[in-house]
Amino acid sequence: MAEAAATLARRNRRTLFGAMGFVAFMVGVSFAAVPLYDLFCRATGYGGTPMLGSAAPGAMANTTINIRFVASTSPGLPWHFVPQQVSMPLALGEEGVAFYTARNDSAAPVTGISTYNVTPDIVGRYFHKTACFCFTEQTLQPGQSVDMPLAFWVDPKILDDAQARAVRNITVSYTFFRSLADAERAGALASAGVHIGAGTTR
């Protein structure tokens, strides 16, 4: 009887340790999932994640794509945030430069941070940015405005992609949040690209 009880106790301990190990493994996987998915998106352009590109090669194709610019702010961020241009035509391989403007409409200093992606998703691998203000904290004083540049180009290799070659309109979207934690809760980090460059305050 005592031997049976000891055997049962050992079995229960093994089950408990196994369950605890499984829980620890699943917690580790959940923490690793976000950065691994982010790395995958940045490497492949999946989900509209813009690529971090080198300097534009210069116009290399007789094809022009219309680039649209969109801006939004998360709830609770008292900023007025807009693109300075609605759209621009851009030849494949040519570098384009666009500007966004943010203004703090509150009576206190406010810090914001932006994320960025492009649509349709399939063009993410062909959209390269060479200067950007995303993932850079911007602290604006009451009533202060800041102009933020984006330099970018579209890879002519888009014409070799049977699914993407017909795209003639690309939308560039920036969203400002109070923090990266807010951006992650909103699901904005998975499709966002890495940071390069910074805006200039006026």
Side-chain angles (χ1 to χ4, degrees), residues 56-61 92-95 156:
M60 299 173 62
L92 297 181
E94 176 186 12
E95 184 172 67

Side-chain angles (χ1 to χ4, degrees), residues 157-168:
K157 290 179 182 177
I158 194 173
L159 298 178
D160 299 329
D161 187 327
Q163 294 182 301
R165 68 172 58 137
V167 173
R168 290 296 175 268

Side-chain angles (χ1 to χ4, degrees), residues 32-44 46-49 187 189-191:
V34 171
L36 288 176
Y37 179 77
D38 183 48
L39 179 63
F40 169 75
C41 288
R42 292 178 185 180
T44 63
Y46 180 77
T49 302
L189 292 187
S191 61

Side-chain angles (χ1 to χ4, degrees), residues 70-74 76-84 99-106 110 112 133 138 140-148 174-176 202:
V70 175
S72 61
T73 57
S74 66
L77 184 67
W79 285 11
H80 180 68
F81 176 53
V82 293
Q84 293 185 9
F99 285 86
Y100 285 73
T101 298
R103 184 183 69 240
N104 178 7
D105 288 337
S106 76
V110 176
F133 56 88
Q138 307 273 349
L140 301 185
Q141 300 302 314
Q144 182 186 10
S145 293
V146 61
D147 293 338
M148 297 168 286
Y174 272 97
T175 301
F176 257 100
R202 66 180 181 184

